[in-house]
PDB file of all heavy atoms in Angstrom:
ATOM      1  N   TYR A 725      89.807 139.716 101.527  1.00 89.00           N
ATOM      2  CA  TYR A 725      89.730 140.063 102.946  1.00 89.00           C
ATOM      3  C   TYR A 725      90.201 141.506 103.055  1.00 89.00           C
ATOM      4  O   TYR A 725      91.327 141.846 102.675  1.00 89.00           O
ATOM      5  CB  TYR A 725      90.622 139.133 103.771  1.00 89.00           C
ATOM      6  CG  TYR A 725      90.897 139.627 105.177  1.00 89.00           C
ATOM      7  CD1 TYR A 725      89.845 139.957 106.031  1.00 89.00           C
ATOM      8  CD2 TYR A 725      92.206 139.751 105.643  1.00 89.00           C
ATOM      9  CE1 TYR A 725      90.097 140.412 107.318  1.00 89.00           C
ATOM     10  CE2 TYR A 725      92.468 140.204 106.926  1.00 89.00           C
ATOM     11  CZ  TYR A 725      91.409 140.540 107.762  1.00 89.00           C
ATOM     12  OH  TYR A 725      91.650 140.999 109.020  1.00 89.00           O
ATOM     13  N   LYS A 746      86.392 131.623 107.403  1.00 79.00           N
ATOM     14  CA  LYS A 746      86.779 133.028 107.356  1.00 79.00           C
ATOM     15  C   LYS A 746      87.967 133.299 108.272  1.00 79.00           C
ATOM     16  O   LYS A 746      88.927 133.981 107.891  1.00 79.00           O
ATOM     17  CB  LYS A 746      85.601 133.912 107.748  1.00 79.00           C
ATOM     18  CG  LYS A 746      84.469 133.920 106.745  1.00 79.00           C
ATOM     19  CD  LYS A 746      83.350 134.856 107.201  1.00 79.00           C
ATOM     20  CE  LYS A 746      82.222 134.903 106.193  1.00 79.00           C
ATOM     21  NZ  LYS A 746      81.125 135.807 106.610  1.00 79.00           N
ATOM     22  N   ALA A 747      87.915 132.746 109.456  1.00 80.00           N
ATOM     23  CA  ALA A 747      89.008 132.960 110.408  1.00 80.00           C
ATOM     24  C   ALA A 747      90.316 132.368 109.874  1.00 80.00           C
ATOM     25  O   ALA A 747      91.389 132.947 110.039  1.00 80.00           O
ATOM     26  CB  ALA A 747      88.655 132.346 111.763  1.00 80.00           C
ATOM     27  N   GLY A 748      90.214 131.216 109.206  1.00 80.00           N
ATOM     28  CA  GLY A 748      91.400 130.603 108.646  1.00 80.00           C
ATOM     29  C   GLY A 748      92.002 131.427 107.527  1.00 80.00           C
ATOM     30  O   GLY A 748      93.222 131.527 107.388  1.00 80.00           O
ATOM     31  N   ILE A 749      91.152 132.039 106.707  1.00 82.00           N
ATOM     32  CA  ILE A 749      91.635 132.899 105.627  1.00 82.00           C
ATOM     33  C   ILE A 749      92.354 134.111 106.191  1.00 82.00           C
ATOM     34  O   ILE A 749      93.423 134.508 105.722  1.00 82.00           O
ATOM     35  CB  ILE A 749      90.457 133.319 104.725  1.00 82.00           C
ATOM     36  CG1 ILE A 749      89.944 132.102 103.942  1.00 82.00           C
ATOM     37  CG2 ILE A 749      90.862 134.434 103.775  1.00 82.00           C
ATOM     38  CD1 ILE A 749      88.639 132.331 103.232  1.00 82.00           C
ATOM     39  N   VAL A 750      91.778 134.708 107.222  1.00 82.00           N
ATOM     40  CA  VAL A 750      92.389 135.878 107.854  1.00 82.00           C
ATOM     41  C   VAL A 750      93.756 135.520 108.420  1.00 82.00           C
ATOM     42  O   VAL A 750      94.744 136.243 108.232  1.00 82.00           O
ATOM     43  CB  VAL A 750      91.473 136.434 108.958  1.00 82.00           C
ATOM     44  CG1 VAL A 750      92.192 137.504 109.762  1.00 82.00           C
ATOM     45  CG2 VAL A 750      90.185 136.992 108.354  1.00 82.00           C
ATOM     46  N   ALA A 751      93.839 134.387 109.128  1.00 81.00           N
ATOM     47  CA  ALA A 751      95.089 134.011 109.774  1.00 81.00           C
ATOM     48  C   ALA A 751      96.143 133.539 108.775  1.00 81.00           C
ATOM     49  O   ALA A 751      97.338 133.748 108.989  1.00 81.00           O
ATOM     50  CB  ALA A 751      94.824 132.915 110.807  1.00 81.00           C
ATOM     51  N   GLY A 752      95.706 132.915 107.690  1.00 82.00           N
ATOM     52  CA  GLY A 752      96.659 132.270 106.799  1.00 82.00           C
ATOM     53  C   GLY A 752      97.117 133.094 105.631  1.00 82.00           C
ATOM     54  O   GLY A 752      97.959 132.632 104.847  1.00 82.00           O
ATOM     55  N   ASN A 753      96.581 134.302 105.461  1.00 85.00           N
ATOM     56  CA  ASN A 753      96.933 135.098 104.288  1.00 85.00           C
ATOM     57  C   ASN A 753      97.241 136.537 104.687  1.00 85.00           C
ATOM     58  O   ASN A 753      96.368 137.400 104.689  1.00 85.00           O
ATOM     59  CB  ASN A 753      95.778 135.084 103.279  1.00 85.00           C
ATOM     60  CG  ASN A 753      95.508 133.703 102.726  1.00 85.00           C
ATOM     61  OD1 ASN A 753      96.198 133.222 101.848  1.00 85.00           O
ATOM     62  ND2 ASN A 753      94.477 133.054 103.274  1.00 85.00           N
ATOM     63  N   SER A 754      98.471 136.772 105.020  1.00 85.00           N
ATOM     64  CA  SER A 754      98.899 138.137 105.324  1.00 85.00           C
ATOM     65  C   SER A 754     100.295 138.324 104.776  1.00 85.00           C
ATOM     66  O   SER A 754     101.001 137.356 104.456  1.00 85.00           O
ATOM     67  CB  SER A 754      98.868 138.422 106.832  1.00 85.00           C
ATOM     68  OG  SER A 754      99.722 137.538 107.526  1.00 85.00           O
ATOM     69  N   PRO A 757     103.705 137.261 107.584  1.00 93.00           N
ATOM     70  CA  PRO A 757     103.131 137.199 108.935  1.00 93.00           C
ATOM     71  C   PRO A 757     104.185 137.083 110.033  1.00 93.00           C
ATOM     72  O   PRO A 757     103.942 137.481 111.171  1.00 93.00           O
ATOM     73  CB  PRO A 757     102.247 135.947 108.883  1.00 93.00           C
ATOM     74  CG  PRO A 757     102.806 135.116 107.765  1.00 93.00           C
ATOM     75  CD  PRO A 757     103.294 136.102 106.752  1.00 93.00           C
ATOM     76  N   PHE A 761     104.693 137.928 114.695  1.00 94.00           N
ATOM     77  CA  PHE A 761     104.534 136.828 115.637  1.00 94.00           C
ATOM     78  C   PHE A 761     104.893 137.216 117.071  1.00 94.00           C
ATOM     79  O   PHE A 761     104.403 136.609 118.028  1.00 94.00           O
ATOM     80  CB  PHE A 761     105.378 135.628 115.207  1.00 94.00           C
ATOM     81  CG  PHE A 761     104.828 134.878 114.027  1.00 94.00           C
ATOM     82  CD1 PHE A 761     105.565 133.866 113.423  1.00 94.00           C
ATOM     83  CD2 PHE A 761     103.563 135.162 113.522  1.00 94.00           C
ATOM     84  CE1 PHE A 761     105.071 133.173 112.334  1.00 94.00           C
ATOM     85  CE2 PHE A 761     103.052 134.472 112.430  1.00 94.00           C
ATOM     86  CZ  PHE A 761     103.809 133.478 111.841  1.00 94.00           C
ATOM     87  N   TYR A 766      99.675 137.307 119.698  1.00 94.00           N
ATOM     88  CA  TYR A 766     100.294 136.111 119.129  1.00 94.00           C
ATOM     89  C   TYR A 766     101.019 135.330 120.222  1.00 94.00           C
ATOM     90  O   TYR A 766     101.506 135.911 121.198  1.00 94.00           O
ATOM     91  CB  TYR A 766     101.315 136.480 118.049  1.00 94.00           C
ATOM     92  CG  TYR A 766     100.733 136.968 116.755  1.00 94.00           C
ATOM     93  CD1 TYR A 766     100.486 138.329 116.560  1.00 94.00           C
ATOM     94  CD2 TYR A 766     100.433 136.081 115.717  1.00 94.00           C
ATOM     95  CE1 TYR A 766      99.962 138.795 115.354  1.00 94.00           C
ATOM     96  CE2 TYR A 766      99.913 136.539 114.513  1.00 94.00           C
ATOM     97  CZ  TYR A 766      99.676 137.889 114.342  1.00 94.00           C
ATOM     98  OH  TYR A 766      99.159 138.349 113.156  1.00 94.00           O
ATOM     99  N   HIS A 789      97.179 132.651 116.393  1.00 91.00           N
ATOM    100  CA  HIS A 789      96.845 133.966 115.845  1.00 91.00           C
ATOM    101  C   HIS A 789      95.938 134.707 116.827  1.00 91.00           C
ATOM    102  O   HIS A 789      95.242 134.076 117.635  1.00 91.00           O
ATOM    103  CB  HIS A 789      96.127 133.750 114.495  1.00 91.00           C
ATOM    104  CG  HIS A 789      95.972 134.975 113.667  1.00 91.00           C
ATOM    105  ND1 HIS A 789      94.895 135.804 113.791  1.00 91.00           N
ATOM    106  CD2 HIS A 789      96.756 135.504 112.690  1.00 91.00           C
ATOM    107  CE1 HIS A 789      95.010 136.802 112.913  1.00 91.00           C
ATOM    108  NE2 HIS A 789      96.130 136.639 112.242  1.00 91.00           N
ATOM    109  N   ASN A 791      93.087 135.864 116.448  1.00 87.00           N
ATOM    110  CA  ASN A 791      91.689 135.436 116.357  1.00 87.00           C
ATOM    111  C   ASN A 791      91.481 134.005 116.818  1.00 87.00           C
ATOM    112  O   ASN A 791      90.403 133.434 116.666  1.00 87.00           O
ATOM    113  CB  ASN A 791      91.144 135.624 114.943  1.00 87.00           C
ATOM    114  CG  ASN A 791      91.785 134.672 113.925  1.00 87.00           C
ATOM    115  OD1 ASN A 791      92.598 133.814 114.275  1.00 87.00           O
ATOM    116  ND2 ASN A 791      91.404 134.833 112.663  1.00 87.00           N
ATOM    117  N   GLN A 793      93.086 131.259 115.753  1.00 90.00           N
ATOM    118  CA  GLN A 793      93.509 130.233 114.795  1.00 90.00           C
ATOM    119  C   GLN A 793      94.922 129.757 115.108  1.00 90.00           C
ATOM    120  O   GLN A 793      95.805 130.554 115.425  1.00 90.00           O
ATOM    121  CB  GLN A 793      93.459 130.790 113.377  1.00 90.00           C
ATOM    122  CG  GLN A 793      92.055 131.098 112.883  1.00 90.00           C
ATOM    123  CD  GLN A 793      91.254 129.835 112.631  1.00 90.00           C
ATOM    124  OE1 GLN A 793      91.610 129.014 111.806  1.00 90.00           O
ATOM    125  NE2 GLN A 793      90.166 129.686 113.365  1.00 90.00           N
ATOM    126  N   LYS A 794      95.106 128.435 115.015  1.00 92.00           N
ATOM    127  CA  LYS A 794      96.412 127.843 115.269  1.00 92.00           C
ATOM    128  C   LYS A 794      97.036 127.422 113.933  1.00 92.00           C
ATOM    129  O   LYS A 794      96.395 126.750 113.127  1.00 92.00           O
ATOM    130  CB  LYS A 794      96.295 126.643 116.198  1.00 92.00           C
ATOM    131  CG  LYS A 794      95.766 127.001 117.576  1.00 92.00           C
ATOM    132  CD  LYS A 794      95.693 125.774 118.475  1.00 92.00           C
ATOM    133  CE  LYS A 794      95.102 126.121 119.842  1.00 92.00           C
ATOM    134  NZ  LYS A 794      95.930 127.084 120.583  1.00 92.00           N
ATOM    135  N   LEU A 795      98.288 127.842 113.725  1.00 94.00           N
ATOM    136  CA  LEU A 795      98.996 127.520 112.494  1.00 94.00           C
ATOM    137  C   LEU A 795     100.357 126.927 112.822  1.00 94.00           C
ATOM    138  O   LEU A 795     100.995 127.329 113.800  1.00 94.00           O
ATOM    139  CB  LEU A 795      99.174 128.759 111.613  1.00 94.00           C
ATOM    140  CG  LEU A 795      97.898 129.395 111.066  1.00 94.00           C
ATOM    141  CD1 LEU A 795      97.428 130.524 111.963  1.00 94.00           C
ATOM    142  CD2 LEU A 795      98.129 129.896 109.645  1.00 94.00           C
ATOM    143  N   TYR A 797     104.157 126.317 111.245  1.00 97.00           N
ATOM    144  CA  TYR A 797     105.098 126.764 110.220  1.00 97.00           C
ATOM    145  C   TYR A 797     106.357 125.918 110.334  1.00 97.00           C
ATOM    146  O   TYR A 797     106.884 125.719 111.433  1.00 97.00           O
ATOM    147  CB  TYR A 797     105.441 128.239 110.402  1.00 97.00           C
ATOM    148  CG  TYR A 797     104.264 129.172 110.266  1.00 97.00           C
ATOM    149  CD1 TYR A 797     103.456 129.477 111.358  1.00 97.00           C
ATOM    150  CD2 TYR A 797     103.961 129.773 109.036  1.00 97.00           C
ATOM    151  CE1 TYR A 797     102.383 130.342 111.248  1.00 97.00           C
ATOM    152  CE2 TYR A 797     102.895 130.647 108.910  1.00 97.00           C
ATOM    153  CZ  TYR A 797     102.103 130.924 110.013  1.00 97.00           C
ATOM    154  OH  TYR A 797     101.042 131.785 109.896  1.00 97.00           O
ATOM    155  N   GLN A 809     103.311 125.432 105.479  1.00 94.00           N
ATOM    156  CA  GLN A 809     102.410 126.118 106.407  1.00 94.00           C
ATOM    157  C   GLN A 809     101.109 125.334 106.471  1.00 94.00           C
ATOM    158  O   GLN A 809     100.551 124.938 105.463  1.00 94.00           O
ATOM    159  CB  GLN A 809     102.139 127.542 105.914  1.00 94.00           C
ATOM    160  CG  GLN A 809     101.067 128.294 106.687  1.00 94.00           C
ATOM    161  CD  GLN A 809     100.839 129.681 106.122  1.00 94.00           C
ATOM    162  OE1 GLN A 809     101.770 130.335 105.660  1.00 94.00           O
ATOM    163  NE2 GLN A 809      99.592 130.130 106.146  1.00 94.00           N
ATOM    164  N   ASN A 811      97.256 125.353 108.475  1.00 86.00           N
ATOM    165  CA  ASN A 811      96.268 125.905 109.394  1.00 86.00           C
ATOM    166  C   ASN A 811      95.603 124.738 110.112  1.00 86.00           C
ATOM    167  O   ASN A 811      95.040 123.848 109.475  1.00 86.00           O
ATOM    168  CB  ASN A 811      95.229 126.720 108.611  1.00 86.00           C
ATOM    169  CG  ASN A 811      94.334 127.522 109.527  1.00 86.00           C
ATOM    170  OD1 ASN A 811      93.977 127.061 110.599  1.00 86.00           O
ATOM    171  ND2 ASN A 811      93.979 128.719 109.091  1.00 86.00           N
ATOM    172  N   ARG A 819     100.111 124.410 102.596  1.00 89.00           N
ATOM    173  CA  ARG A 819     100.848 124.991 101.485  1.00 89.00           C
ATOM    174  C   ARG A 819     102.315 124.622 101.632  1.00 89.00           C
ATOM    175  O   ARG A 819     102.879 124.726 102.715  1.00 89.00           O
ATOM    176  CB  ARG A 819     100.692 126.516 101.482  1.00 89.00           C
ATOM    177  CG  ARG A 819      99.367 126.993 100.958  1.00 89.00           C
ATOM    178  CD  ARG A 819      99.274 128.509 101.012  1.00 89.00           C
ATOM    179  NE  ARG A 819      98.772 128.980 102.292  1.00 89.00           N
ATOM    180  CZ  ARG A 819      98.555 130.259 102.578  1.00 89.00           C
ATOM    181  NH1 ARG A 819      98.810 131.192 101.686  1.00 89.00           N
ATOM    182  NH2 ARG A 819      98.077 130.624 103.750  1.00 89.00           N
TER     183      ARG A 819
END
Side-chain angles (χ1 to χ4, degrees):
Y725 165 54
K746 292 181 179 180
I749 291 169
V750 171
N753 296 281
S754 60
F761 286 172
Y766 287 90
H789 192 272
N791 68 4
Q793 293 290 299
K794 297 181 183 297
L795 295 95
Y797 298 87
Q809 172 181 325
N811 191 323
R819 283 179 272 182

